[in-house]
Amino acid sequence: MIEPARRAAVTLREVTAKTVRDVCNLNVSAEQQHFVAPNAVSIAQAYFEPAAWFRAVYADDTPVGFAMLYDPTRTSTPEAGPDTCFLWRFMIDRQHQRRGYGAAALELLVAHARTLAGVTKMKTSYVPKPGNASPLYERAGFRATGEVDEGEHVLELELARRSA
């Protein structure tokens, strides 16, 4: 009897001095490069933005992606309002795409956003060109707001609190 392949456990982990090079070496395909900034640029920006919260996406013990949120609870003057978390950067390395890692990581990011005091919605945006991540976001429950921010279409997810 053939056993089904075990799916890797997807986790979000802090980027450390030991892992930063591996995370910076993750890349999307050439066709996707206009959708997201390189991870090195994102990490540098995070160190100068008090509201930035970033993590590496791991599949088991392998770094496969990167995510960064704008967390309004980390600043006294939130740009998008105190109730809105923004998925600022999100990528899965070209060699690890189409394995469910992006969907699993997005689920973890939404779960994290639900833990933020006073945050009731999560937004993200995408470049409206073929191959963008909007289908992934829509499958996770994000809906178009009609807003366009610097040419990117904005999506929003209501973060209904789950009862215990």
Side-chain angles (χ1 to χ4, degrees), residues 3-162:
E3 297 203 19
R6 185 188 71 78
R7 177 171 236 140
V10 175
T11 56
L12 301 176
R13 299 184 191 175
E14 284 191 54
V15 177
T16 67
K18 283 184 166 183
T19 63
V20 69
R21 283 184 188 266
D22 289 338
V23 174
C24 287
N25 286 332
L26 299 172
N27 291 296
V28 293
S29 68
E31 300 81 35
Q32 297 170 321
Q33 288 179 355
H34 59 278
F35 293 140
V36 66
N39 294 341
V41 170
S42 296
I43 292 168
Q45 286 177 316
Y47 278 102
F48 295 99
E49 171 53 63
W53 180 91
F54 62 97
R55 295 292 185 268
V57 177
Y58 276 74
D60 288 335
D61 288 321
T62 302
V64 298
F66 178 82
M68 185 161 68
L69 300 178
Y70 177 91
D71 174 354
T73 68
R74 298 170 66 95
T75 180
S76 59
T77 56
E79 289 183 28
D83 66 340
T84 304
C85 175
F86 200 93
L87 178 54
W88 188 6
R89 300 282 163 69
F90 188 52
M91 64 81 69
I92 300 295
D93 182 84
R94 67 183 174 272
Q95 295 178 336
H96 299 282
Q97 292 180 7
R98 306 219 180 275
R99 296 181 186 176
Y101 301 153
L106 185 55
E107 191 174 307
L108 293 172
L109 292 163
V110 169
H112 173 75
R114 284 190 171 106
T115 70
L116 303 175
V119 173
T120 60
K121 56 189 165 188
M122 185 175 193
K123 289 186 175 183
T124 194
S125 62
Y126 67 92
V127 176
K129 292 187 177 178
N132 69 58
S134 64
L136 171 69
Y137 299 136
E138 290 168 356
R139 283 191 303 273
F142 285 82
R143 298 292 171 247
T145 65
E147 297 171 66
V148 176
D149 183 15
E150 296 183 16
E152 295 189 13
H153 291 227
V154 178
L155 299 171
E156 182 177 280
L157 176 69
E158 292 294 327
L159 298 173
R161 300 281 184 220
R162 294 201 173 127

